[in-house]
Amino acid sequence: MRKIRKGDQVVVISGSDKGRRGAVIEVLEGGQVVVEGVNMAKKHQRGNPQQGTQGGIVEKAMPLHASKVAIWNPAAKKGDRVGVKSLADGKRVRFFKSNGEMIDA
């Protein structure tokens, strides 16, 4: 079970974008995540008239390693570590390490 999933609210804990928050757009193989509005890069893109796309310089969110982000805990108002535990019915759920509150219940 992955500790960070698509749609989770995360906060960047190190690097040039430290402290910025956003939602996870995509989880890639190799332990990388793409977060909206974080780690933006300018890409020079050629236009394609057959697809109707215009050329120019576009901003694109680049991947970050999953170890550089932490899930946002709204109760504590800070980034938090995540654990995984099994319930009595055999279902596995994620929980915040600081207060034990379940994320996906």
Side-chain angles (χ1 to χ4, degrees):
M1 172 178 272
R2 295 185 186 262
K3 293 186 177 182
I4 297 176
R5 296 182 188 170
K6 181 178 177 178
D8 286 342
Q9 284 291 322
V10 295
V11 60
V12 180
I13 55 176
S14 69
S16 60
D17 289 322
K18 181 177 179 176
R20 297 192 60 192
R21 284 184 9 204
V24 175
I25 299 170
E26 185 179 9
V27 178
L28 302 172
E29 293 294 322
Q32 293 196 328
V33 294
V34 179
V35 182
E36 69 175 338
V38 176
N39 199 23
M40 300 298 283
K42 292 186 188 246
K43 177 176 171 48
H44 296 256
Q45 189 169 347
R46 179 180 293 147
N48 188 345
Q50 290 182 340
Q51 291 181 344
T53 58
Q54 189 174 3
I57 301 171
V58 295
E59 291 253 335
K60 182 179 179 184
M62 299 302 286
L64 288 167
H65 198 269
S67 65
K68 295 196 176 284
V69 297
I71 291 189
W72 180 254
N73 187 346
K77 293 191 173 70
K78 63 178 183 176
D80 205 347
R81 293 181 299 149
V82 176
V84 178
K85 65 181 174 183
S86 296
L87 298 177
D89 61 349
K91 186 177 174 186
R92 295 176 62 186
V93 294
R94 299 179 298 162
F95 68 98
F96 291 119
K97 291 274 192 164
S98 64
N99 57 5
E101 184 181 328
M102 284 190 263
I103 298 173
D104 31 52

